[in-house]
Amino acid sequence: MRKKGRTKVLKKCFPYYTGSFILHAIGISLLLLVAKSNPVMLGLGLVAYTLGLRHAFDADHIAAIDNVVRKLTQQKKNPMGVGFYFSLGHSSVVLLMAVGLALSVRWAQHHLPLFEHVGGFIGATVSGSFLIVIAVINLFIVVDLQKVFRRLKKHEFDQEQFEQLLESRGFLSRAFKPLFAFINQSWHVFPLGFLFGLGFDTATEISLLALSAESARTHMSFAAILALPLLFAAGMNVMDTTDSVMMTRAYHWALDTPVRKVYYNLTVTTVSVMAALMIGVVELAQVAGELFQLKGSFWNWVQRIDLNWMGYGLIILFITVWAVAYLIWKFLRIDQRWSKAI
């Protein structure tokens, strides 16, 4: 029975992962094409991809996908494509921004020294500050989720309170809440993803990538500009797709064991906090060191931190957090022990 259930799940999510694979193939192929003449693009491509992975863990993404999955599950419809279509709508904005940037490159190159210095400074400052604000907001949510998780053992689980906590995540998710009523199929979430893509955080990250690329080479080709947002979109798409698949499973599990849904949300939000802090703190530290001419071994080390290597750090962070969460779940037998409290 369990094997048949897994086969059924794979069949339902296969089309969406196939679409995500195609997006990856296009982005990687374009990156390799550009990297033949400029090898530094490989590092920038990795940064773009890992930023996409990180962006999928933002509170607005998690809340939007979670709310739609819950709604479609209650309507007994297939919600596994929610993350995929949400990410496609979101990515459309990213690609449009890239095209606009490509058309303005010729003008920007005439003002490159000033554009690179001032734009890089402002972009890193705003991006770092915004990411830290997101991390702090999500940290409060992690604390609340931790309290809910601990109350499971004390027979004090409040389903209504938990649902309200999930719906409180993300400013954009609350702002567009009335639109969720019109979503009755997975693909209906595409326009919602587009509206979320107009949010400030995505614009900040793509601007940061564009500035990094400008500082890494004298000229930026149209293909190079497209490669970065495509890889960003690929990373975001695979995680958003996985999020909707896992949340679908979690909500089916939660019919009998809500502890699984609480634990999953706690893990995902923790990843969001750690990743946002990692990028935001480094960005602001580098800006502060350059602005105030700070000296010393620590500040010299901070200035030497390369965004290319930070991409590897993010991947290691994702793997580590999920591995630790899985080991805690498995060896402490949380599912068996805590579910009895419900």
Side-chain angles (χ1 to χ4, degrees):
M1 290 293 293
R2 182 177 297 181
K3 186 175 181 180
K4 289 183 178 179
R6 290 177 179 175
T7 302
K8 187 177 181 180
V9 170
L10 290 174
K11 287 182 178 179
K12 287 184 176 180
C13 64
F14 178 77
Y16 308 116
Y17 279 111
T18 300
S20 185
F21 173 79
I22 293 173
L23 185 58
H24 277 75
I26 295 173
I28 293 174
S29 299
L30 193 57
L31 177 68
L32 294 177
L33 178 65
V34 175
K36 287 183 179 180
S37 57
N38 198 338
V40 76
M41 277 297 300
L42 291 174
L44 292 173
L46 178 62
V47 175
Y49 186 75
T50 51
L51 282 175
L53 294 175
R54 190 218 64 79
H55 192 67
F57 287 107
D58 280 350
D60 281 311
H61 278 243
I62 297 169
I65 293 172
D66 187 32
N67 291 340
V68 176
V69 167
R70 182 167 64 250
K71 182 177 186 290
L72 294 183
T73 300
Q74 292 171 349
Q75 295 177 346
K76 300 186 182 303
K77 296 178 180 179
N78 179 17
M80 289 193 177
V82 170
F84 177 79
Y85 288 112
F86 179 87
S87 180
L88 284 186
H90 204 294
S91 303
S92 299
V93 178
V94 176
L95 291 174
L96 288 174
M97 290 170 57
V99 171
L101 181 62
L103 295 176
S104 63
V105 154
R106 289 183 178 270
W107 176 87
Q109 286 177 342
H110 292 294
H111 306 275
L112 188 57
L114 180 63
F115 176 77
E116 179 181 334
H117 180 72
V118 178
F121 175 79
I122 295 176
T125 302
V126 174
S127 176
S129 301
F130 200 85
L131 288 173
I132 290 179
V133 170
I134 289 174
V136 172
I137 294 174
N138 284 352
L139 184 59
F140 283 109
I141 295 174
V142 168
V143 173
D144 289 338
L145 285 171
Q146 184 67 26
K147 292 177 181 178
V148 172
F149 193 56
R150 290 187 177 278
R151 284 201 292 268
L152 284 169
K153 290 186 70 175
K154 301 178 182 179
H155 301 263
E156 298 176 354
F157 179 74
D158 188 331
Q159 179 69 30
E160 183 178 352
Q161 182 184 17
F162 177 59
E163 297 293 340
Q164 290 176 352
L165 176 61
L166 295 184
E167 292 179 359
S168 69
R169 297 168 298 174
F171 171 77
L172 291 176
S173 186
R174 293 194 298 271
F176 295 134
K177 188 175 180 179
L179 297 179
F180 286 90
F182 298 98
I183 299 175
N184 294 306
Q185 299 290 338
S186 291
W187 65 269
H188 291 173
V189 82
F190 182 92
L192 185 66
F194 187 88
L195 290 175
F196 272 65
L198 298 175
F200 191 66
D201 189 32
T202 300
T204 301
E205 290 181 336
I206 296 304
S207 297
L208 175 62
L209 289 173
L211 292 172
S212 299
E214 286 283 0
S215 64
R217 54 188 169 277
T218 307
H219 301 284
M220 183 189 294
S221 66
F222 184 77
I225 294 175
L226 282 180
L228 296 178
L230 278 173
L231 288 167
F232 178 91
M236 180 171 57
N237 184 269
V238 70
M239 293 311 301
D240 279 343
T241 301
T242 301
D243 186 29
S244 61
V245 171
M246 294 183 70
M247 282 311 304
T248 300
R249 298 289 293 168
Y251 276 111
H252 284 302
W253 288 340
L255 294 175
D256 298 318
T257 56
V259 64
R260 292 171 174 174
K261 187 169 63 173
V262 178
Y263 190 81
Y264 174 77
N265 277 277
L266 179 60
T267 302
V268 168
T269 311
T270 300
V271 170
S272 175
V273 171
M274 297 177 69
L277 279 177
M278 179 177 174
I279 300 173
V281 169
V282 169
E283 286 184 340
L284 289 184
Q286 289 183 338
V287 169
E290 182 179 352
L291 179 63
F292 299 107
Q293 297 295 310
L294 300 175
K295 304 296 182 183
S297 57
F298 172 76
W299 293 106
N300 291 335
W301 172 76
V302 168
Q303 292 299 329
R304 288 196 300 268
I305 296 178
D306 190 347
L307 282 178
N308 298 351
W309 287 102
M310 215 161 107
Y312 292 109
L314 281 173
I315 292 176
I316 294 173
L317 175 66
F318 293 150
I319 295 174
T320 301
V321 173
W322 280 108
V324 171
Y326 175 78
L327 291 175
I328 292 174
W329 175 270
K330 192 76 174 175
F331 290 103
L332 294 184
R333 294 182 300 164
I334 292 175
D335 196 10
Q336 293 87 350
R337 292 166 54 196
W338 293 28
S339 295
K340 295 177 182 180
I342 307 301

